[in-house]
Amino acid sequence: MSKFYAALVAALLLAPAAYAADQKMAAPDIKKNLEATASDPAKLKAYCSMSKKMDEIGDDEKKAEAAGDEIDGYFKTLGDDFENAWDAGQNAADGSPEANAMDGAVALLDGKCK
């Protein structure tokens, strides 16, 4: 698990219970819902800002807690489909098709961030 994912997981654990739901979603749906962000300029901007914030937070739980409202705002902009796919990908077993779908979609999105 990368530093980005570890920080995001820590932040989400500190965020409202809405992010704690264990969503079941198939790999193709995870990929489709996350990658849809790439075609929406406002959502892509929110994703890139969230990614940058997660890099700033690192493994610091206090920083993650302090950024909770900011992270919530990014997820609100990204929408329910993104959030449900994100949760499903985060909760998927390492190496599973769902985890691999998330990793691929995140790599695509990260490549579009400037």
Side-chain angles (χ1 to χ4, degrees):
M1 182 178 270
S2 74
K3 183 173 147 181
F4 171 78
Y5 293 130
L8 184 58
V9 169
L12 293 178
L13 291 174
L14 298 170
Y19 294 12
D22 183 12
Q23 300 292 324
K24 300 293 181 194
M25 186 179 289
D29 293 327
I30 291 171
K31 180 177 172 33
K32 176 188 76 166
N33 289 343
L34 294 177
E35 288 183 354
T37 300
S39 63
D40 182 321
K43 288 183 178 184
L44 183 59
K45 181 178 178 182
Y47 172 82
C48 293
S49 295
M50 182 177 76
S51 178
K52 182 178 178 184
K53 177 54 81 174
M54 289 296 101
D55 286 343
E56 290 171 12
I57 291 170
D59 293 329
D60 188 324
E61 289 185 31
K62 287 184 182 186
K63 285 183 181 179
E65 186 175 339
D69 288 343
E70 185 175 352
I71 300 298
D72 288 345
Y74 295 135
F75 274 104
K76 184 176 180 183
T77 300
L78 291 164
D80 290 340
D81 288 343
F82 181 95
E83 183 177 349
N84 291 336
W86 187 268
D87 289 345
Q90 285 291 318
N91 292 328
D94 288 343
S96 69
E98 293 78 16
N100 292 338
M102 180 169 183
D103 290 346
V106 167
L108 178 128
L109 291 172
D110 287 346
K112 294 192 176 284
C113 295
K114 295 176 183 177

